Structure formats: structure tokens, C-alpha cells
Amino acid sequence: MSVINDHDPVTEIYISSAMPGDFFALLKPRVMSLVVFTALVGMMAAPGEIDPVLGVIAILCIAIGAGASGALNMWYDADIDAVMSRTKSRPIPSGAISKSEALGFGLILSAFSVAILGLAVNWFAAGLLAFTIFFYAVIYSMWLKRATPQNIVIGGAAGAFPPMIGWAVVTGGVSLESVILFAIIFIWTPPHFWALALFKSDDYKLAEIPMLPIVAGEASTKKQILAYSILLAPLGVAPWLLGFASIAYGVIATVFGAAFLWFAWRVYKMDEADRKMLPAKKMFGFSILYLFVLYAALLVESLLPKLLNLIGIA
Amino acid sequence: MKPIELTEAQVKSRRSRNIAIALICVGLVVMFYLITIVKLGPSILNRAL
């Protein structure tokens, strides 16, 4: 039982009622699962080998680091999360966790994930992870998000680093291949988020976040979505063109890239009066599938020879 | 001096958090053990006494 001085009003003392699940929600588990997946692809696609135990620990560190940056983002953005329908049930605005708890949690996990990755694997990968956390929490959340409609263009780099970190875990460095893996997610992020911002623009307006549809208008956003999609479609095929993926990957990337363009074209042609914005919703859904399929194809291609080798076929 | 009476929800959540922290500590011990074995291997025993 705790004991306090009579002069301290009991009402001023905060006693947490947060459950472990609330802290887990601070890590943005859905974003974390995407980070785990893309980092795993980077790790598997990289030339060279890593001990499986260290590989699992590296993925865990990258996941926790990504989760920590999510917690720091929720700490900083608690005020705007409270007014947006998509985010108002998050642990801080819902009252489950205090801001200081989230800050402490995020900082401790950041330090632990970077230190363990550095000690167990290599300090280059750990440095990249530290930079990713800094980029998401400080550059994106604290600076760009509320300052410019280009917030998610530049901030998208934070989500694009995990495959590069996975690659660095195995090779200890960066190469053209890992830059391509980074670039695919980097160029994919703006059309993905702007499709969401189109049909959630009321939310962003309420929170006074300068998303492109609010600042530049829907017509300009649709043009930008199309422009980035035109860049993305050939970039998705680049792993095959540069020779680090097979023609099977090339065919998949071409088909899905063409479909991405078609969805972007449908958004571009979407009527201004259409408030249901079905094409934008479909594009948002397809963009997630697109990234998953491309990275899954790369994962299968990198795992297949290893599996065949393991069972003695190749 | 006035004692603070925790509510049932606060006691329950504190117990849950304590269990979670204990599990994480055990996980860290296992992880550090595995890292040591993988990185040093049998040479961990190969030292001057």
C-alpha cells in the first residue's frame, strides 16, 4: 500500500489502470506487421547468410523499434488523434494510457531495440534503425506532419527503411538493391496515403493537418496520385530489370503495376461530386495488396533456392 | 499520512503489468543467453582460468 503526505491531494496523483494490451496497442501492431514483413524480405533477399537465431532477434529488434516510433508518434499526436474518427480510440485519447507513460515506453523501447540490434548483429543496421525511429518521431511527427502537404512524401521514408535495415543486418551495408527496395515503398507511400486522405479529408480538416486534398484540392491530389503511380509501376519492375529478381517476379510486378495505374486512373477520373469515393477506397485497398504481392514474390524467390538446397534438390 | 486505496481495476491492471514485465525480463534473459551462445559458441569455455 502506498502512503502519501496529507498535503498532497489524492486527486492529483495519477495511478495507471493501463493493461499490457493498451501498451501493445501503442506499438501500432498493424504497421509493425508490415515492417516485420518488409524487413524479412530485405534480410532474405540480401546476399549472404545470417544465423537463424540472430535473424529472428534482428527482426524482433526492428519490429520493437518500429513499435517504439509508433508509441512516440501517439505521444506527440495525442491532441489530433482525439479529434479524428480513425484514431480517437487509440490508448491515449481513450484515456487508457497517459502521455508520459507513452513517452517513457517509446523511449525505453527505442533504446533497447537499437542497443540489442547493435550488440547482437551489427552497428550499421542499428544506426539505420535509430535513424528510422528519429525520422518517424521527430522529422515526420513533430515537424512535417503539421507543417506541409508534402508530409507523407518525405515522411514516407520512415516506412521505407525496414527492408534496407533487413538488408544491412545480413550485409552490414547498403547497396543498389536495397535502395530499390527502399524506393518502391517510398514512391508507393504518397498514392497510398493520398487515396486515404481523399475519403478521410473531413477527419484531417478537423484535426487541421495540411494533407494534400485540403491544401491543394482534390483535383491536384488526383493528379499527384496518378503521377506517383506512373513512377511506381516501372520502379516495381526494377528488381527484375536490374537482375536481382527473376522474370516471374517481373511478370507479377508488371501486371500489378498496370493494375495500380488503372486504379490511379479511376481515381483521376472520379467525379468531384462523388462523395462516396469508391475508386479512392478501392485504390487504397489495392495499394496494400500491391506492396504485399511484390514483396511476397521477392520473399518466395529468395527462399525457394534455400529450401531446395536444404532438401537436397538443388 | 493518508494511505491510497487502489481500486479493483487499478490492482488488476498493476498485476497484469507486473506479469508482463516479468515475462519480458525472462524473454530478455533467454535472448541474451542465445546471443552469447551463437556469437561465442564453444569458445565461451575456451578461456584461461
Side-chain angles (χ1 to χ4, degrees), chain A residues 271-303:
Chain A
D271 192 358
E272 287 280 334
D274 178 5
R275 297 331 289 167
K276 281 189 178 174
M277 298 195 182
L278 215 55
K281 288 174 184 168
K282 283 185 177 171
M283 163 136 200
F284 178 72
F286 180 78
S287 65
I288 296 169
L289 180 71
Y290 172 84
L291 195 67
F292 174 77
V293 168
L294 258 64
Y295 269 72
L298 285 172
L299 184 64
V300 170
E301 283 203 347
S302 52
L303 279 181

Side-chain angles (χ1 to χ4, degrees), chain A residues 105-124:
Chain A
F105 187 61
L107 289 175
I108 288 170
L109 289 191
S110 300
F112 264 77
S113 58
V114 171
I116 293 175
L117 187 63
L119 291 168
V121 183
N122 66 63
W123 285 102
F124 186 84

Side-chain angles (χ1 to χ4, degrees), chain A residues 2 4 6 17-19 60 120, chain B residues 2 4 10 13 16-17 39:
Chain A
S2 310
I4 59 155
D6 268 339
S17 296
M19 298 294 280
L60 190 67
Chain B
K2 193 164 72 179
I4 295 176
Q10 285 168 338
S13 67
S16 302
R17 291 198 303 272
K39 287 188 85 77

Side-chain angles (χ1 to χ4, degrees), chain A residues 1-4 6 10 15-20 23 51 54 57 60 116 119-120, chain B residues 1-6 9-10 12-13 16-17 20 28 31-32 34-35 38-39:
Chain A
M1 192 182 291
S2 310
V3 174
I4 59 155
D6 268 339
V10 174
I15 299 169
S16 178
S17 296
M19 298 294 280
F23 283 96
D51 183 277
L54 293 183
I57 289 170
L60 190 67
I116 293 175
L119 291 168
Chain B
M1 299 290 257
K2 193 164 72 179
I4 295 176
E5 291 291 336
L6 297 183
Q10 285 168 338
K12 192 182 165 201
S13 67
S16 302
R17 291 198 303 272
L28 280 173
M31 187 196 283
F32 292 145
L34 289 173
I35 292 170
V38 169
K39 287 188 85 77

Side-chain angles (χ1 to χ4, degrees), chain A residues 134-171:
Chain A
F134 170 79
F135 199 91
Y136 187 66
V138 178
I139 306 288
Y140 172 70
S141 301
M142 295 184 191
W143 178 29
L144 296 170
K145 188 171 179 179
R146 303 177 196 223
T148 164
Q150 295 298 309
N151 47 15
I152 50 111
V153 177
I154 309 162
F161 276 121
M164 203 180 236
I165 303 171
W167 186 281
V169 160
V170 176
T171 65

Side-chain angles (χ1 to χ4, degrees), chain A residues 190-273:
Chain A
H192 166 74
F193 267 109
W194 284 334
L196 173 78
L198 275 175
F199 61 85
K200 286 280 184 188
S201 64
D202 290 344
D203 251 11
Y204 286 112
K205 206 179 286 176
L206 208 62
E208 295 176 357
I209 301 172
M211 292 301 277
L212 197 62
I214 299 160
V215 176
E218 288 182 6
S220 172
T221 306
K222 291 172 189 171
K223 263 187 218 162
Q224 296 273 335
I225 287 176
L226 188 62
Y228 274 91
S229 304
I230 291 168
L231 280 177
L232 179 65
L235 191 63
V237 187
W240 167 57
L241 296 175
L242 291 171
F244 68 97
S246 75
I247 190 161
Y249 169 85
V251 171
I252 291 170
T254 305
V255 171
F256 273 78
F260 199 101
L261 271 175
W262 184 75
F263 277 101
W265 179 253
R266 292 277 314 275
V267 171
Y268 180 67
K269 299 301 279 181
M270 192 168 68
D271 192 358
E272 287 280 334

Side-chain angles (χ1 to χ4, degrees), chain B residues 9-39:
Chain B
Q10 285 168 338
V11 171
K12 192 182 165 201
S13 67
R14 187 172 66 177
R15 189 181 300 125
S16 302
R17 291 198 303 272
N18 288 346
I19 291 169
I21 291 169
L23 291 174
I24 290 167
C25 288
V26 171
L28 280 173
V29 169
V30 172
M31 187 196 283
F32 292 145
Y33 172 76
L34 289 173
I35 292 170
T36 307
I37 296 301
V38 169
K39 287 188 85 77

